[in-house]
Amino acid sequence: MQSSAAFDIVRAGWRSGRLAHSYLVVGNPRTEGGTFARRVASMMLCEEDPQRAPCGSCSACRRVESGAHPDVLVIEPEKASRRILVGAIRPDADNPPGSRRFFLEWANQKSFEGGWKIGIMLFADRLNEQAANIILKTLEEPPENTCFLLVTDRPDEMLPTIISRCQRLDLASGRTPPAEPWRSRVASILSEHSPRSVLRTAATASRLAAVFDEIKTLAEEENEAEIRARSSADPDHWSAPSKDDMKAMVKNREKEKRAAVYQAMQDWYRDIVALSAMPPGSQDPPLFFPEFRDALAERAANVSFRVASRLPEFVQEMRSRIEDRNINKYDFVFSHWLAWMP
Ligand SMILES: [Zn+2]
C-alpha cells in the first residue's frame, strides 16, 4: 500500500463521514509515517475547499506543519527513557497539572478552533504498558470530533489490545504480502464462509483447523530433515536432541507457520474494513487480496463499518485463545468466532 493509497482511504473516510476513530499508521515515524500523520491533520483542518485540502498554504496548514496548531497534539517518547510514559498521558508526580499538554486532558477538552482535533503519537510502540492501558478506552471511544493517529514502524511490539482498536494503514511502498502456501488457501476458505449458516461456519472452522493439522505434520517433517542434515554434516560432534527438545523445536516451527495463517486472516478482514470505509461508487482501495475483490466487496456491503472495524480484533482474539492459552481444539475456537464474522 503506497502512502498515497493509504491517504486516499483516510480522505474517503473523512469525506463520507466514516473516519475510523483511531488509525495505526505503519511507517517510519521520523520520515514517511510522521509526514503522513501531519498531512492527515492538515487535511482535516485546512481552511480551503475540502476538495483541495490539504492546500499546504493556508494558515491552518502552515500551523500544522510548524507544530503551532492547538488542535493537533503530537507526543513522542521522552528523551531520557525513550518511552512514552504515564506523565505524557495525564499528570503524575513528575508532571504536575499545567506543566505540559497531556494526551488525555487534551483529548477531552473542546477543540480550540471549533473543528477537529488530531492526536498524533509518534513511536507508538514505545508506549509503556501502564500508559497504554490508560489510553485504551479513549482509543475505543474517542471524544467527539477527535481522531488518533498512532505511528510506528514496529507494530509487532505493540499491545494487541491497542492494535485491535485501530484501523491499520501500511505505508511501506510496494509492500508485497509474504509468499507462502497458506495465504491463498486461507483466502479461498474465507471466501466460502458465511455466518448465516451453522453448517458453513462449521465447514470453515474445520477447513482452517485442517490447515493447522497440515502445518503440524509439515513442522515435524522439516524438523526431522534438519536433524538428519545436521547429524550427517558433522557426525563426530553431533548428539541427538532429547525428546523434549525435539518437541519444543517442532512447536516453535508450528507457531511460526501458524503466524502466517493469522496474518492472512488479518489481511482478509482488513480488506473488508477498507472496502466498507469507502463511499459507494468510489474507487477501490488497494487490497491484499485483489483476486477476491467481489467476494470481499459483498461482505463489506453487508456489514456496518462499526462491526467491520472490529473484525481484525476478532482474529486477534482467536489467535490469543489458541496461542496464549494453548488450546488445540482449533475448530472449536474458530467456529466460536466465525459465527460472528462475515
Ligand atoms: Zn490548507
Side-chain angles (χ1 to χ4, degrees):
M1 194 187 282
Q2 303 253 350
S3 150
S4 61
F7 191 77
D8 289 346
I9 291 180
V10 180
R11 183 160 51 193
W14 165 245
R15 287 183 182 161
S16 62
R18 307 169 100 180
L19 205 64
H21 295 144
S22 312
Y23 291 93
L24 179 69
V25 179
V26 180
N28 185 338
R30 285 270 169 264
T31 54
E32 81 273 8
T35 306
F36 178 88
R38 286 190 187 84
R39 196 165 160 233
V40 169
S42 295
M43 172 191 74
M44 295 172 68
L45 299 170
C46 178
E47 293 155 4
E48 268 292 330
D49 176 351
Q51 293 303 316
R52 289 197 291 146
C55 72
S57 53
C58 71
S59 148
C61 283
R62 276 183 286 127
R63 284 181 296 143
V64 171
E65 191 52 44
S66 68
H69 201 297
D71 288 324
V72 180
L73 178 62
V74 181
I75 67 168
E76 51 185 309
E78 315 278 333
K79 287 216 166 55
S81 65
R82 302 185 61 227
R83 310 290 299 175
I84 299 173
L85 304 171
V86 173
I89 308 296
R90 64 169 191 216
D92 65 1
D94 297 329
N95 301 273
S99 61
R100 62 196 289 181
R101 287 201 288 170
F102 297 98
F103 194 74
L104 267 194
E105 285 192 337
W106 173 87
N108 289 315
Q109 267 168 10
K110 270 205 155 137
S111 144
F112 283 88
E113 304 198 353
W116 278 71
K117 288 181 299 172
I118 300 93
I120 299 174
M121 188 177 288
L122 300 177
F123 299 96
D125 52 281
R126 312 248 176 97
L127 255 178
N128 82 354
E129 198 169 333
Q130 201 189 351
N133 284 325
I134 294 174
I135 65 167
L136 272 180
K137 183 123 189 72
T138 309
L139 287 182
E140 192 165 18
E141 288 165 18
E144 211 181 336
N145 292 352
T146 306
C147 178
F148 296 117
L149 298 157
L150 276 50
V151 187
T152 179
D153 50 4
R154 297 177 171 185
D156 300 341
E157 293 181 15
M158 293 179 61
L159 285 180
T161 43
I162 294 267
I163 293 185
S164 66
R165 281 166 173 76
C166 301
Q167 183 178 342
R168 178 169 167 152
L169 299 164
D170 286 275
L171 303 187
S173 52
R175 175 181 189 259
T176 41
E180 32 71 27
W182 321 115
R183 203 170 168 79
S184 46
R185 269 277 288 289
V186 169
S188 105
I189 292 171
L190 291 177
S191 74
E192 286 166 28
H193 172 59
S194 166
R196 278 182 225 146
S197 143
V198 178
L199 280 179
R200 295 252 302 263
T201 300
T204 314
S206 79
R207 291 175 71 194
L208 287 171
V211 171
F212 277 13
D213 290 340
E214 271 176 52
I215 283 179
K216 184 173 169 40
T217 310
L218 188 70
E220 285 164 353
E221 286 169 2
E222 281 183 9
N223 211 52
E224 273 168 35
E226 192 191 304
I227 286 171
R228 269 200 305 276
R230 272 202 248 155
S231 68
S232 59
D234 190 3
D236 297 339
H237 297 98
W238 188 78
S239 59
S242 71
K243 262 213 164 92
D244 283 349
D245 285 351
M246 284 277 276
K247 259 195 189 153
M249 286 160 80
V250 172
K251 270 207 149 65
N252 280 336
R253 247 176 229 275
E254 268 186 78
K255 213 177 165 79
E256 274 169 32
K257 290 181 194 299
R258 283 198 300 260
V261 172
Y262 300 122
Q263 182 67 54
M265 292 175 81
Q266 281 287 11
D267 289 346
W268 174 268
Y269 285 107
R270 269 189 221 131
D271 275 356
I272 295 177
V273 181
L275 285 165
S276 77
M278 303 304 276
S282 58
Q283 234 191 344
D284 277 356
L287 299 173
F288 291 105
F289 295 102
E291 67 275 32
F292 287 99
R293 193 250 163 222
D294 292 346
L296 290 162
E298 189 207 317
R299 284 160 175 76
N302 288 314
V303 68
S304 72
F305 180 65
R306 173 132 190 95
V307 171
S309 60
R310 302 203 59 183
L311 293 171
E313 187 183 334
F314 292 168
V315 176
Q316 196 62 47
E317 286 290 338
M318 285 189 232
R319 180 180 190 155
S320 67
R321 283 298 145 95
I322 292 172
E323 303 298 331
D324 304 344
R325 300 194 198 167
N326 240 329
I327 292 177
N328 51 18
K329 293 226 177 297
Y330 303 129
D331 52 348
F332 178 78
V333 177
F334 285 136
S335 59
H336 176 78
W337 290 98
L338 286 163
W340 303 96
M341 299 167 78

